[in-house]
Structures are given as structure tokens and as C-alpha cells.
Amino acid sequence: MRERPGLLILADKGYVSAELDRFLNQYGVQLLRPSYRNLAPRPGEGLLKSVRQLIESVNDTLKGQLGLEQHGGRTIEGVGARVGQRLLAMTCAIWHNRTTGRTVTRSLIAYDH
């Protein structure tokens, strides 16, 4: 963490802990998470909804169009390789779609045959 000044970690409500906050603060790390309904909103909290929606959309593409849930890896290295393959495939498709002027950049339907 010392090698990454200004590190920002996005998390969900489950990461509420005074001990965690103290630990991260001593290293200058910011933790951005939603607040509970009975607490005042935290700074930057409004950004989380759009970021979370983007993350969920990418995860859905990885699971649905790229079959990440049925990856077939038998070891941690195998799972890592298969996840890397899917991320590379999606990155290449997004690059290609942007380069060719497609309106939906994350769609892989044109390559699904």
C-alpha cells in the first residue's frame, strides 16, 4: 500500500469496521463504501451506483457471453489463465467495436458463432 499513494478501494456495506478504517488510514488508503441508511452519506458515495452498475455489467458479460462460470479450470493457475483469456477476449472485442464505430462496445454477439 505504501507503493500506491492515494489508493482508493471500492467496497460494499459489508466492509464497515472501525479497525479496518484505522488500518487503511494509517497507510493513506481511502475506502469508498455506501453508508447504512441510519448514517450520514460518506463523501463520494454518489459515485458508487454508476461504478457498481458498470462492474455488474462487465461481470454479466464475462459470465453470459464468455462462459466464465463454466471455465473448466482445475487448479488456481488454470482458473487464473481462463479468467485472463476471457478478460483479454472482452478487451479485444471492446477495442475492435470502438475502432469500427459500433454503438454498443461491449457486445460480443457479432463474434458468437
Side-chain angles (χ1 to χ4, degrees), residues 45-94:
E45 189 176 328
L47 301 172
L48 286 174
K49 188 174 184 176
S50 61
V51 171
R52 183 175 183 136
Q53 189 173 18
L54 175 64
I55 291 168
E56 293 296 332
S57 179
V58 168
N59 286 342
D60 186 56
T61 300
L62 288 168
K63 287 193 249 179
Q65 293 184 14
L66 294 172
L68 190 58
E69 288 185 311
Q70 290 81 32
H71 51 73
R74 296 175 187 259
T75 64
I76 192 67
E77 293 84 7
V79 172
R82 285 161 175 84
V83 169
Q85 290 169 343
R86 268 87 171 175
L87 289 171
L88 179 59
M90 189 166 75
T91 302
C92 290
I94 291 170

Short mmCIF file of all heavy atoms in Angstrom, two decimals, residues 45-94:
data_model
loop_
_atom_site.label_atom_id
_atom_site.label_comp_id
_atom_site.label_asym_id
_atom_site.label_seq_id
_atom_site.Cartn_x
_atom_site.Cartn_y
_atom_site.Cartn_z
N GLU A 45 -19.91 8.97 -2.08
CA GLU A 45 -20.83 7.84 -2.13
C GLU A 45 -21.72 7.85 -3.38
O GLU A 45 -22.08 6.80 -3.89
CB GLU A 45 -21.70 7.84 -0.87
CG GLU A 45 -22.55 6.62 -0.71
CD GLU A 45 -23.31 6.62 0.61
OE1 GLU A 45 -22.80 7.15 1.61
OE2 GLU A 45 -24.42 6.09 0.62
N GLY A 46 -22.02 9.02 -3.88
CA GLY A 46 -22.87 9.12 -5.06
C GLY A 46 -22.26 8.48 -6.31
O GLY A 46 -22.97 8.10 -7.23
N LEU A 47 -20.95 8.33 -6.33
CA LEU A 47 -20.27 7.72 -7.48
C LEU A 47 -20.42 6.20 -7.51
O LEU A 47 -20.26 5.59 -8.56
CB LEU A 47 -18.78 8.06 -7.45
CG LEU A 47 -18.41 9.53 -7.46
CD1 LEU A 47 -16.92 9.69 -7.22
CD2 LEU A 47 -18.81 10.15 -8.77
N LEU A 48 -20.71 5.62 -6.37
CA LEU A 48 -20.71 4.16 -6.28
C LEU A 48 -21.77 3.49 -7.14
O LEU A 48 -21.53 2.42 -7.69
CB LEU A 48 -20.89 3.72 -4.82
CG LEU A 48 -19.67 3.90 -3.93
CD1 LEU A 48 -20.02 3.56 -2.49
CD2 LEU A 48 -18.52 3.07 -4.42
N LYS A 49 -22.93 4.09 -7.27
CA LYS A 49 -24.02 3.45 -8.01
C LYS A 49 -23.63 3.22 -9.46
O LYS A 49 -23.80 2.12 -10.00
CB LYS A 49 -25.29 4.28 -7.91
CG LYS A 49 -26.49 3.58 -8.49
CD LYS A 49 -27.76 4.36 -8.24
CE LYS A 49 -28.96 3.60 -8.75
NZ LYS A 49 -30.21 4.26 -8.46
N SER A 50 -23.08 4.24 -10.11
CA SER A 50 -22.71 4.08 -11.52
C SER A 50 -21.53 3.13 -11.68
O SER A 50 -21.49 2.35 -12.63
CB SER A 50 -22.41 5.43 -12.15
OG SER A 50 -21.33 6.05 -11.50
N VAL A 51 -20.58 3.17 -10.77
CA VAL A 51 -19.43 2.26 -10.85
C VAL A 51 -19.89 0.83 -10.62
O VAL A 51 -19.49 -0.08 -11.35
CB VAL A 51 -18.34 2.66 -9.83
CG1 VAL A 51 -17.25 1.60 -9.75
CG2 VAL A 51 -17.75 4.00 -10.18
N ARG A 52 -20.74 0.62 -9.65
CA ARG A 52 -21.24 -0.73 -9.38
C ARG A 52 -22.03 -1.27 -10.58
O ARG A 52 -21.91 -2.43 -10.93
CB ARG A 52 -22.10 -0.74 -8.12
CG ARG A 52 -22.56 -2.13 -7.79
CD ARG A 52 -23.31 -2.18 -6.48
NE ARG A 52 -23.66 -3.55 -6.23
CZ ARG A 52 -23.54 -4.15 -5.07
NH1 ARG A 52 -23.05 -3.48 -4.05
NH2 ARG A 52 -23.87 -5.40 -4.92
N GLN A 53 -22.82 -0.41 -11.20
CA GLN A 53 -23.58 -0.83 -12.37
C GLN A 53 -22.64 -1.25 -13.50
O GLN A 53 -22.87 -2.26 -14.17
CB GLN A 53 -24.48 0.32 -12.83
CG GLN A 53 -25.46 -0.07 -13.91
CD GLN A 53 -26.43 1.06 -14.20
OE1 GLN A 53 -26.20 2.21 -13.87
NE2 GLN A 53 -27.53 0.71 -14.85
N LEU A 54 -21.55 -0.53 -13.69
CA LEU A 54 -20.56 -0.89 -14.70
C LEU A 54 -19.91 -2.23 -14.37
O LEU A 54 -19.78 -3.10 -15.25
CB LEU A 54 -19.50 0.20 -14.81
CG LEU A 54 -18.34 -0.08 -15.74
CD1 LEU A 54 -18.82 -0.19 -17.18
CD2 LEU A 54 -17.28 0.98 -15.60
N ILE A 55 -19.53 -2.42 -13.12
CA ILE A 55 -18.89 -3.68 -12.71
C ILE A 55 -19.85 -4.85 -12.90
O ILE A 55 -19.46 -5.90 -13.43
CB ILE A 55 -18.41 -3.59 -11.24
CG1 ILE A 55 -17.24 -2.61 -11.14
CG2 ILE A 55 -18.03 -4.96 -10.70
CD1 ILE A 55 -16.86 -2.23 -9.74
N GLU A 56 -21.10 -4.68 -12.51
CA GLU A 56 -22.09 -5.76 -12.68
C GLU A 56 -22.31 -6.07 -14.15
O GLU A 56 -22.47 -7.23 -14.53
CB GLU A 56 -23.41 -5.38 -12.00
CG GLU A 56 -23.34 -5.29 -10.50
CD GLU A 56 -23.03 -6.62 -9.82
OE1 GLU A 56 -23.37 -7.69 -10.37
OE2 GLU A 56 -22.42 -6.59 -8.74
N SER A 57 -22.30 -5.06 -14.99
CA SER A 57 -22.49 -5.26 -16.42
C SER A 57 -21.32 -6.04 -17.02
O SER A 57 -21.51 -6.97 -17.82
CB SER A 57 -22.63 -3.90 -17.11
OG SER A 57 -22.79 -4.07 -18.48
N VAL A 58 -20.10 -5.70 -16.63
CA VAL A 58 -18.92 -6.43 -17.11
C VAL A 58 -18.96 -7.86 -16.62
O VAL A 58 -18.71 -8.81 -17.38
CB VAL A 58 -17.63 -5.72 -16.67
CG1 VAL A 58 -16.40 -6.60 -16.90
CG2 VAL A 58 -17.48 -4.39 -17.40
N ASN A 59 -19.30 -8.07 -15.34
CA ASN A 59 -19.40 -9.43 -14.80
C ASN A 59 -20.45 -10.24 -15.55
O ASN A 59 -20.25 -11.42 -15.83
CB ASN A 59 -19.72 -9.41 -13.31
CG ASN A 59 -18.53 -9.00 -12.48
OD1 ASN A 59 -17.40 -9.05 -12.92
ND2 ASN A 59 -18.79 -8.59 -11.25
N ASP A 60 -21.57 -9.62 -15.88
CA ASP A 60 -22.63 -10.31 -16.61
C ASP A 60 -22.13 -10.74 -18.00
O ASP A 60 -22.42 -11.84 -18.46
CB ASP A 60 -23.85 -9.40 -16.73
CG ASP A 60 -25.02 -10.13 -17.36
OD1 ASP A 60 -25.42 -11.18 -16.84
OD2 ASP A 60 -25.52 -9.66 -18.40
N THR A 61 -21.38 -9.87 -18.66
CA THR A 61 -20.83 -10.21 -19.97
C THR A 61 -19.83 -11.36 -19.84
O THR A 61 -19.84 -12.30 -20.64
CB THR A 61 -20.13 -8.99 -20.61
OG1 THR A 61 -21.08 -7.95 -20.76
CG2 THR A 61 -19.53 -9.33 -21.96
N LEU A 62 -18.98 -11.30 -18.83
CA LEU A 62 -18.00 -12.37 -18.63
C LEU A 62 -18.68 -13.70 -18.36
O LEU A 62 -18.25 -14.75 -18.86
CB LEU A 62 -17.05 -12.02 -17.48
CG LEU A 62 -16.03 -10.92 -17.76
CD1 LEU A 62 -15.36 -10.48 -16.48
CD2 LEU A 62 -15.00 -11.39 -18.78
N LYS A 63 -19.74 -13.68 -17.56
CA LYS A 63 -20.44 -14.92 -17.24
C LYS A 63 -21.30 -15.40 -18.39
O LYS A 63 -21.29 -16.58 -18.73
CB LYS A 63 -21.32 -14.73 -16.00
CG LYS A 63 -20.53 -14.63 -14.72
CD LYS A 63 -21.46 -14.77 -13.54
CE LYS A 63 -21.58 -13.48 -12.80
NZ LYS A 63 -22.49 -13.56 -11.66
N GLY A 64 -22.07 -14.49 -19.00
CA GLY A 64 -23.03 -14.88 -20.02
C GLY A 64 -22.40 -15.18 -21.37
O GLY A 64 -22.48 -16.30 -21.87
N GLN A 65 -21.76 -14.19 -21.96
CA GLN A 65 -21.23 -14.35 -23.31
C GLN A 65 -19.89 -15.08 -23.36
O GLN A 65 -19.55 -15.68 -24.37
CB GLN A 65 -21.10 -12.99 -24.00
CG GLN A 65 -22.44 -12.34 -24.25
CD GLN A 65 -22.31 -11.05 -25.02
OE1 GLN A 65 -21.27 -10.74 -25.58
NE2 GLN A 65 -23.37 -10.27 -25.03
N LEU A 66 -19.12 -15.03 -22.28
CA LEU A 66 -17.79 -15.64 -22.30
C LEU A 66 -17.69 -16.90 -21.43
O LEU A 66 -16.60 -17.44 -21.26
CB LEU A 66 -16.74 -14.62 -21.89
CG LEU A 66 -16.57 -13.48 -22.88
CD1 LEU A 66 -15.67 -12.40 -22.32
CD2 LEU A 66 -16.02 -13.99 -24.19
N GLY A 67 -18.80 -17.35 -20.86
CA GLY A 67 -18.84 -18.61 -20.13
C GLY A 67 -17.89 -18.71 -18.95
O GLY A 67 -17.34 -19.78 -18.69
N LEU A 68 -17.70 -17.63 -18.23
CA LEU A 68 -16.73 -17.65 -17.14
C LEU A 68 -17.13 -18.59 -16.00
O LEU A 68 -16.27 -19.15 -15.34
CB LEU A 68 -16.51 -16.23 -16.60
CG LEU A 68 -15.36 -16.08 -15.61
CD1 LEU A 68 -14.05 -16.53 -16.24
CD2 LEU A 68 -15.24 -14.65 -15.15
N GLU A 69 -18.42 -18.80 -15.80
CA GLU A 69 -18.84 -19.69 -14.70
C GLU A 69 -18.50 -21.15 -14.98
O GLU A 69 -18.31 -21.93 -14.06
CB GLU A 69 -20.33 -19.52 -14.42
CG GLU A 69 -20.63 -18.20 -13.75
CD GLU A 69 -22.08 -18.06 -13.35
OE1 GLU A 69 -22.96 -18.33 -14.18
OE2 GLU A 69 -22.32 -17.68 -12.18
N GLN A 70 -18.41 -21.53 -16.24
CA GLN A 70 -18.03 -22.89 -16.60
C GLN A 70 -16.64 -22.84 -17.24
O GLN A 70 -16.43 -23.29 -18.36
CB GLN A 70 -19.03 -23.51 -17.60
CG GLN A 70 -20.38 -23.82 -17.01
CD GLN A 70 -21.30 -22.62 -16.92
OE1 GLN A 70 -21.24 -21.73 -17.76
NE2 GLN A 70 -22.13 -22.57 -15.90
N HIS A 71 -15.66 -22.34 -16.50
CA HIS A 71 -14.33 -22.10 -17.04
C HIS A 71 -13.53 -23.38 -17.25
O HIS A 71 -12.68 -23.46 -18.12
CB HIS A 71 -13.54 -21.14 -16.15
CG HIS A 71 -13.54 -21.53 -14.72
ND1 HIS A 71 -12.83 -22.60 -14.23
CD2 HIS A 71 -14.20 -21.00 -13.67
CE1 HIS A 71 -13.03 -22.70 -12.93
NE2 HIS A 71 -13.87 -21.74 -12.57
N GLY A 72 -13.76 -24.42 -16.45
CA GLY A 72 -13.06 -25.69 -16.63
C GLY A 72 -11.69 -25.76 -15.98
O GLY A 72 -10.98 -26.75 -16.15
N GLY A 73 -11.31 -24.73 -15.25
CA GLY A 73 -10.01 -24.76 -14.58
C GLY A 73 -10.02 -25.71 -13.39
O GLY A 73 -10.99 -25.76 -12.65
N ARG A 74 -8.95 -26.47 -13.24
CA ARG A 74 -8.87 -27.44 -12.13
C ARG A 74 -7.90 -27.01 -11.04
O ARG A 74 -7.90 -27.57 -9.96
CB ARG A 74 -8.47 -28.81 -12.67
CG ARG A 74 -9.51 -29.37 -13.61
CD ARG A 74 -9.04 -30.67 -14.22
NE ARG A 74 -9.97 -31.11 -15.23
CZ ARG A 74 -10.87 -32.05 -15.04
NH1 ARG A 74 -10.97 -32.64 -13.87
NH2 ARG A 74 -11.67 -32.40 -16.02
N THR A 75 -7.05 -26.06 -11.33
CA THR A 75 -6.11 -25.53 -10.35
C THR A 75 -6.27 -24.01 -10.32
O THR A 75 -6.87 -23.42 -11.22
CB THR A 75 -4.66 -25.86 -10.73
OG1 THR A 75 -4.34 -25.20 -11.97
CG2 THR A 75 -4.44 -27.37 -10.89
N ILE A 76 -5.70 -23.38 -9.31
CA ILE A 76 -5.79 -21.92 -9.22
C ILE A 76 -5.10 -21.27 -10.42
O ILE A 76 -5.56 -20.26 -10.95
CB ILE A 76 -5.24 -21.39 -7.87
CG1 ILE A 76 -5.61 -19.92 -7.65
CG2 ILE A 76 -3.74 -21.59 -7.77
CD1 ILE A 76 -7.06 -19.66 -7.45
N GLU A 77 -4.01 -21.88 -10.89
CA GLU A 77 -3.32 -21.35 -12.07
C GLU A 77 -4.20 -21.49 -13.31
O GLU A 77 -4.25 -20.59 -14.16
CB GLU A 77 -1.99 -22.07 -12.28
CG GLU A 77 -0.96 -21.81 -11.21
CD GLU A 77 -1.12 -22.70 -9.97
OE1 GLU A 77 -1.96 -23.63 -9.99
OE2 GLU A 77 -0.41 -22.43 -8.99
N GLY A 78 -4.89 -22.65 -13.43
CA GLY A 78 -5.78 -22.87 -14.56
C GLY A 78 -6.95 -21.90 -14.57
O GLY A 78 -7.34 -21.37 -15.63
N VAL A 79 -7.52 -21.65 -13.39
CA VAL A 79 -8.61 -20.68 -13.29
C VAL A 79 -8.10 -19.29 -13.67
O VAL A 79 -8.74 -18.57 -14.43
CB VAL A 79 -9.22 -20.69 -11.87
CG1 VAL A 79 -10.22 -19.56 -11.71
CG2 VAL A 79 -9.87 -22.03 -11.57
N GLY A 80 -6.91 -18.93 -13.17
CA GLY A 80 -6.32 -17.63 -13.49
C GLY A 80 -6.11 -17.47 -14.99
O GLY A 80 -6.39 -16.42 -15.56
N ALA A 81 -5.61 -18.52 -15.64
CA ALA A 81 -5.38 -18.47 -17.09
C ALA A 81 -6.70 -18.29 -17.83
O ALA A 81 -6.79 -17.51 -18.79
CB ALA A 81 -4.68 -19.74 -17.56
N ARG A 82 -7.72 -18.99 -17.41
CA ARG A 82 -9.02 -18.90 -18.10
C ARG A 82 -9.69 -17.56 -17.88
O ARG A 82 -10.30 -17.00 -18.79
CB ARG A 82 -9.90 -20.06 -17.69
CG ARG A 82 -9.45 -21.35 -18.36
CD ARG A 82 -9.98 -22.58 -17.67
NE ARG A 82 -9.65 -23.80 -18.38
CZ ARG A 82 -8.48 -24.44 -18.26
NH1 ARG A 82 -7.54 -23.94 -17.49
NH2 ARG A 82 -8.26 -25.55 -18.93
N VAL A 83 -9.57 -17.02 -16.68
CA VAL A 83 -10.11 -15.69 -16.42
C VAL A 83 -9.36 -14.67 -17.28
O VAL A 83 -9.96 -13.79 -17.90
CB VAL A 83 -10.02 -15.33 -14.92
CG1 VAL A 83 -10.32 -13.86 -14.69
CG2 VAL A 83 -10.97 -16.20 -14.11
N GLY A 84 -8.03 -14.80 -17.34
CA GLY A 84 -7.22 -13.90 -18.17
C GLY A 84 -7.61 -13.98 -19.63
O GLY A 84 -7.68 -12.96 -20.32
N GLN A 85 -7.88 -15.19 -20.13
CA GLN A 85 -8.30 -15.36 -21.53
C GLN A 85 -9.60 -14.61 -21.79
O GLN A 85 -9.75 -13.94 -22.82
CB GLN A 85 -8.51 -16.84 -21.85
CG GLN A 85 -7.26 -17.65 -21.91
CD GLN A 85 -7.55 -19.15 -21.96
OE1 GLN A 85 -8.65 -19.60 -21.65
NE2 GLN A 85 -6.55 -19.91 -22.35
N ARG A 86 -10.55 -14.76 -20.88
CA ARG A 86 -11.84 -14.10 -21.08
C ARG A 86 -11.71 -12.58 -21.02
O ARG A 86 -12.32 -11.86 -21.81
CB ARG A 86 -12.85 -14.56 -20.03
CG ARG A 86 -13.69 -15.73 -20.47
CD ARG A 86 -13.04 -16.99 -20.18
NE ARG A 86 -13.93 -18.14 -20.40
CZ ARG A 86 -13.48 -19.35 -20.28
NH1 ARG A 86 -12.22 -19.57 -19.98
NH2 ARG A 86 -14.28 -20.38 -20.48
N LEU A 87 -10.90 -12.08 -20.08
CA LEU A 87 -10.69 -10.63 -19.99
C LEU A 87 -10.00 -10.10 -21.25
O LEU A 87 -10.37 -9.04 -21.77
CB LEU A 87 -9.87 -10.27 -18.75
CG LEU A 87 -10.58 -10.45 -17.43
CD1 LEU A 87 -9.60 -10.28 -16.28
CD2 LEU A 87 -11.73 -9.48 -17.31
N LEU A 88 -9.03 -10.84 -21.77
CA LEU A 88 -8.36 -10.43 -22.99
C LEU A 88 -9.32 -10.44 -24.17
O LEU A 88 -9.34 -9.51 -24.98
CB LEU A 88 -7.16 -11.33 -23.28
CG LEU A 88 -6.37 -11.02 -24.54
CD1 LEU A 88 -5.81 -9.60 -24.50
CD2 LEU A 88 -5.24 -12.02 -24.71
N ALA A 89 -10.16 -11.48 -24.26
CA ALA A 89 -11.13 -11.56 -25.35
C ALA A 89 -12.10 -10.38 -25.30
O ALA A 89 -12.41 -9.76 -26.32
CB ALA A 89 -11.89 -12.88 -25.28
N MET A 90 -12.58 -10.07 -24.10
CA MET A 90 -13.52 -8.96 -23.97
C MET A 90 -12.84 -7.63 -24.29
O MET A 90 -13.41 -6.77 -24.97
CB MET A 90 -14.13 -8.91 -22.57
CG MET A 90 -15.27 -7.90 -22.49
SD MET A 90 -16.28 -8.06 -21.03
CE MET A 90 -15.21 -7.37 -19.82
N THR A 91 -11.61 -7.45 -23.84
CA THR A 91 -10.86 -6.23 -24.13
C THR A 91 -10.65 -6.06 -25.63
O THR A 91 -10.82 -4.96 -26.17
CB THR A 91 -9.50 -6.25 -23.40
OG1 THR A 91 -9.74 -6.40 -22.00
CG2 THR A 91 -8.71 -4.99 -23.65
N CYS A 92 -10.30 -7.14 -26.31
CA CYS A 92 -10.10 -7.08 -27.77
C CYS A 92 -11.41 -6.74 -28.48
O CYS A 92 -11.42 -5.94 -29.43
CB CYS A 92 -9.56 -8.42 -28.29
SG CYS A 92 -7.87 -8.74 -27.81
N ALA A 93 -12.51 -7.32 -28.03
CA ALA A 93 -13.80 -7.03 -28.65
C ALA A 93 -14.20 -5.58 -28.44
O ALA A 93 -14.68 -4.91 -29.37
CB ALA A 93 -14.88 -7.96 -28.10
N ILE A 94 -13.98 -5.05 -27.24
CA ILE A 94 -14.30 -3.65 -26.97
C ILE A 94 -13.44 -2.74 -27.84
O ILE A 94 -13.93 -1.79 -28.45
CB ILE A 94 -14.11 -3.32 -25.47
CG1 ILE A 94 -15.18 -4.03 -24.64
CG2 ILE A 94 -14.13 -1.81 -25.22
CD1 ILE A 94 -14.94 -3.97 -23.14
#
